[in-house]
Amino acid sequence: MKEIGHWINGKLVAGTSGRFADVFNPATGEVQARVALATKAELDQAVADAARAQVAWGATNPQKRARVMMEMVRLINRDMDKLAEVLSSEHGKTFPDAKGDIQRGLEVIEFCIGAPHLLKGEFTDSAGPGIDMYSMRQPLGVAAGITPFNFPAMIPLWKMGPALAAGNAYILKPSERDPSVPLMLAALFQEAGLPDGVLQVINGDKDSVDAILDNETIQGIGFVGSTPIAHYIYSRGTANGKRVQCFGGAKNHMIIMPDADLDQAADALVGAGYGAAGERCMAISVAVPVGEETADRLIEKLVPRIEKLKVGPWTAGNDVDYGPVVTGAAKANILRLVETGVAQGAKLVVDGRDFSLQGYEDGFFVGPHLFDHVTPDMDIYKQEIFGPVLSTVRAKTYEEALKLAMDHEYGNGTAIFTRDGDTARDFAARVNVGMIGINVPIPVPLAYHTFGGWKKSSFGDLNQHGPDAFRFYTRTKTVTSRWPSGIKEGSAFNFKAMD
């Protein structure tokens, strides 16, 4: 059985704890490897080594650090297919979707090439007689990231890229469900010129998470995952005096107005609701057609599209629409929630409960499901299902549809499909959600803007990637400087107004 360890001080090392987690092939249900789970002592030693390596890396000029990012872009493009194959084999994503996962992370590394500009401070000359004032952006020192299974390339790159470009050392604790790609990315960073020890990849479970939260050297922590864990990490991390940004769950609504192009809306819903088997925090899981006629026509268009979806392993070709979910436990939870929806009175228009793929009966495949006549009191509406399940909540008016998105406890992303500019502008201005799509179903911003939700989808005041990432991974130091020019005034015991 293949054993997966850690990336410490520039090389792969075996774990010493004697504890392991299984890494499955989601398509077959078989255990294909086991990954070592680090001890607190292993984590603490990796942090201490990173802190020593960070001193020289932080003192390296920003242009040289940017050149490492530039070379990393080349290396990721060189190894794109190799990375995608490993990602698909451990996560279950289709091959094109795996490449998209890597590509969206790569775009953040491209943005990080511009770090020298983003790290510039401010300067005021002659703020007073012979006095200049200036600010500097300096790295935190050692930062850490705790990243989820659903984007094993993209989110680690979103975290590592800005942190490293800003001059920090970084401790990455990726998901133990698909750990290989983060280790491969660490090796590419070394090949790109990153000094040994500046990036450490520690595989582990809650013990490793708690060790990160309690380690006094780590100054900043980024997390993506479920809302309960996000709240836990944010609360414990900030209580320990750390800067923390946590991104949690989602329940993303797409409002379909009567004037919308329903073919376009239906295509968008199918891609956004069922792509990656629904295991995306930006997946559309709630369709909100406005008006009974709109709802009836939308369901009529959705059903044949959903019934034609091709579900299969990533090895079955690029025409597979989505693959298995990540574990048997995830599959069981999805099907449990589907049964809850039926029991609570929702109409199951497309029923994927009996889906089975010949030759892959033990895989973690879940057939597509479509619910209609869902109401806000149902569990399938309130909870994040994280599977290929789309719920339809019928609204009588635009105001009712808007209220659904605004009243939900999650506020990650939302979308509206309409031909009316006034409606679109009103929606974008009023809805209390962090990322908005107008005739765009999954409004993930490009790398030079920031990614982040509102309400229980986000904890902390700075978002991921874009300029916010460099604010998060740096501290501002402001210097007031005076060089006497023959002026002798003696000691000063009070603040003086600037003349």
Side-chain angles (χ1 to χ4, degrees):
M1 177 68 66
K2 178 184 175 184
E3 291 189 359
I4 299 169
H6 316 290
W7 180 267
I8 305 291
N9 298 335
K11 62 177 181 287
L12 291 169
V13 300
T16 63
S17 69
R19 295 192 307 119
F20 296 89
D22 290 335
V23 179
F24 290 93
N25 178 341
T28 65
E30 298 171 327
V31 176
Q32 59 176 316
R34 58 182 198 158
V35 58
L37 303 176
T39 64
K40 181 180 185 299
E42 286 175 299
L43 186 283
D44 287 344
Q45 185 59 54
V47 173
D49 292 344
R52 283 189 288 271
Q54 188 274 332
V55 175
W57 177 244
T60 301
N61 75 61
Q63 275 184 287
K64 289 184 178 179
R65 297 199 300 259
R67 289 176 191 142
V68 173
M69 300 297 144
M70 194 178 300
E71 179 63 4
M72 186 65 175
V73 169
R74 186 187 73 82
L75 294 175
I76 291 174
N77 278 312
R78 182 196 71 186
D79 289 357
M80 178 71 74
D81 286 356
K82 185 196 303 185
L83 290 162
E85 287 178 8
V86 174
L87 195 157
S88 292
S89 70
E90 289 186 351
H91 178 278
K93 289 187 183 189
T94 66
F95 189 68
D97 196 24
K99 291 179 74 172
D101 183 331
I102 299 161
Q103 177 63 35
R104 293 309 295 264
L106 171 63
E107 289 167 6
V108 170
I109 303 301
E110 290 174 335
F111 177 72
C112 290
I113 295 170
H117 173 71
L118 294 162
L119 294 171
K120 288 189 304 185
E122 298 174 319
F123 185 87
T124 300
D125 70 300
S126 299
I131 294 176
D132 300 325
M133 301 183 72
Y134 59 96
S135 63
M136 301 181 288
R137 286 201 171 275
Q138 296 188 323
L140 300 179
V142 180
I146 302 164
T147 56
F149 75 87
N150 59 325
F151 285 96
M154 182 184 80
I155 296 179
L157 288 169
W158 282 11
K159 302 291 190 188
M160 294 187 293
L164 294 170
N168 297 282
Y170 205 72
I171 310 297
L172 176 68
K173 206 299 288 181
S175 172
E176 63 273 27
R177 297 175 189 173
D178 41 16
S180 292
V181 168
L183 293 169
M184 295 169 71
L185 292 171
L188 290 184
F189 262 118
Q190 184 196 43
E191 187 178 348
L194 191 70
D196 293 349
V198 173
L199 173 61
Q200 315 276 49
V201 181
I202 305 293
N203 286 303
D205 54 6
K206 186 178 183 297
D207 288 352
S208 297
V209 171
D210 287 345
I212 288 171
L213 295 174
D214 295 340
N215 186 284
E216 293 182 358
T217 302
I218 293 173
Q219 299 297 301
I221 299 171
F223 169 81
V224 177
S226 69
T227 286
I229 305 303
H231 184 264
Y232 170 78
I233 289 173
Y234 185 77
S235 300
R236 186 160 169 173
T238 53
N240 285 331
K242 303 183 189 305
R243 181 177 294 185
V244 185
Q245 57 171 193
C246 290
F247 300 90
K251 198 70 177 180
N252 305 317
H253 297 64
M254 185 173 123
I255 294 171
I256 302 97
M257 296 299 294
D259 67 341
D261 181 326
L262 288 190
D263 285 310
Q264 181 191 47
D267 286 338
L269 276 169
V270 171
Y274 300 96
E279 293 179 317
R280 295 190 287 210
C281 68
M282 289 295 286
I284 293 293
S285 54
V286 182
V288 187
V290 176
E292 289 296 322
E293 181 183 354
T294 306
D296 290 342
R297 290 171 57 212
L298 180 67
I299 294 293
E300 183 181 339
K301 290 180 180 295
L302 282 173
V303 170
R305 286 169 165 83
I306 295 169
E307 290 177 339
K308 289 177 183 176
L309 288 172
K310 182 177 179 180
V311 183
W314 72 273
T315 52
N318 290 346
D319 62 337
V320 173
D321 293 305
Y322 72 85
V325 296
V326 70
T327 63
K331 176 180 177 178
N333 187 58
I334 294 164
L335 295 178
R336 177 188 64 80
L337 281 164
V338 169
E339 294 293 348
T340 299
V342 173
Q344 292 178 350
K347 182 179 179 182
L348 190 54
V349 180
V350 177
D351 186 351
R353 287 175 292 180
D354 294 330
F355 180 85
S356 180
L357 190 63
Q358 186 174 359
Y360 295 90
E361 289 83 2
D362 294 327
F364 309 138
F365 293 95
V366 179
H369 297 76
L370 173 64
F371 279 105
D372 194 7
H373 299 286
V374 175
T375 56
D377 60 320
M378 295 179 180
D379 289 345
I380 57 171
Y381 178 78
K382 293 187 289 185
Q383 297 182 30
E384 184 177 31
I385 300 174
F386 228 57
V389 181
L390 180 63
S391 297
T392 306
V393 181
R394 295 176 176 229
K396 294 182 177 62
T397 65
Y398 164 70
E399 290 293 336
E400 182 182 334
L402 176 64
K403 189 174 186 298
L404 285 167
M406 293 189 70
D407 286 353
H408 203 284
E409 66 177 350
Y410 294 128
N412 211 39
T414 188
I416 187 168
F417 273 61
T418 180
R419 289 186 172 98
D420 185 81
D422 287 341
T423 302
R425 292 184 77 249
D426 181 80
F427 181 76
R430 290 172 61 192
V431 70
N432 57 349
V433 174
M435 291 170 283
I436 316 299
I438 298 173
N439 298 317
V440 173
I442 302 182
V444 176
L446 292 174
Y448 42 88
H449 287 267
T450 64
F451 178 108
W454 289 12
K455 298 184 280 188
K456 288 189 178 180
S457 293
S458 179
F459 300 83
D461 60 351
L462 290 170
N463 287 339
Q464 298 182 97
H465 65 64
D468 266 15
F470 285 88
R471 297 186 186 102
F472 181 79
Y473 288 115
T474 58
R475 289 192 180 99
T476 301
K477 180 183 288 182
T478 303
V479 179
T480 302
S481 172
R482 180 178 184 183
W483 296 100
S485 303
I487 302 171
K488 305 294 184 182
E489 296 179 349
S491 300
F493 296 94
N494 303 298
F495 288 110
K496 293 179 62 177
M498 293 298 181
D499 297 326

